[in-house]
Amino acid sequence: MSRQATQFKQFLRLVARWPKDPLKSEDRQLAFHLDQQIQRFKKDPTVFGDDAAVCDKRYAALERIVNNDVFRQYPHNYTSGCFGLNLEKCKAINGESGRQTLGFGRESRWKALWNKLFPKPADYKGK
């Protein structure tokens, strides 16, 4: 088996172990983006360079993250974030419903007004 095929399988196993956040949509999951990068690597193994040492370093770094190595070495007892919210509230705000409440993912009122006043040429054809 070639070196690229071995690395590809290693990265796939690593992404399979990556934790999923139930409050985030699929396209906001880090594992989703890592999987996209791995698929690019499958199509063209030289897309990230042809240096095996660099690829091994990237794998080792991602493995340290998924294994929580730094957290184990430097544990902390913080119970709140910078705004004084506990972990559950921080997760809720960063989840999909919290982001919609804060206005992320929707068109601003200014942009909606701008699009009504100055519609794109494609919008005229439908009317």
Side-chain angles (χ1 to χ4, degrees):
M1 188 177 329
S2 72
R3 177 183 57 93
Q4 282 98 357
T6 304
Q7 288 174 336
F8 176 73
K9 287 183 180 182
Q10 280 181 329
F11 276 102
L12 280 180
R13 283 192 292 268
L14 181 74
V15 169
R17 290 179 23 218
W18 207 270
K20 306 278 189 253
D21 188 347
L23 298 176
K24 292 183 180 176
S25 64
E26 180 68 24
D27 61 334
R28 290 187 58 226
Q29 300 279 345
L30 185 58
F32 174 76
H33 293 284
L34 289 173
D35 190 48
Q36 284 183 332
Q37 296 300 317
I38 292 168
Q39 297 307 322
R40 282 183 51 207
F41 177 75
K42 181 181 180 182
K43 292 177 186 171
D44 181 14
T46 62
V47 72
F48 301 119
D50 204 20
D51 190 5
V54 172
C55 194
D56 290 339
K57 285 181 182 179
R58 288 179 180 165
Y59 178 80
L62 289 172
E63 191 171 38
R64 283 193 308 270
I65 293 170
V66 81
N67 290 335
N68 260 346
D69 289 346
V70 174
F71 183 73
R72 288 190 190 126
Q73 286 176 345
Y74 306 103
H76 63 79
N77 57 0
Y78 299 124
T79 58
S80 66
C82 63
F83 296 111
L85 301 175
N86 62 16
L87 181 61
E88 289 77 28
K89 288 186 180 181
C90 288
K91 284 184 177 180
I93 288 173
N94 199 30
E96 294 302 316
S97 63
R99 289 176 56 85
Q100 287 178 354
T101 302
L102 294 173
F104 292 107
R106 68 176 183 218
E107 192 175 58
S108 70
R109 290 182 180 166
W110 170 251
K111 188 163 186 167
L113 177 64
W114 182 268
N115 288 336
K116 282 192 179 245
L117 294 175
F118 305 103
K120 296 176 183 162
D123 293 342
Y124 286 123
K125 293 178 185 174
K127 294 181 179 178

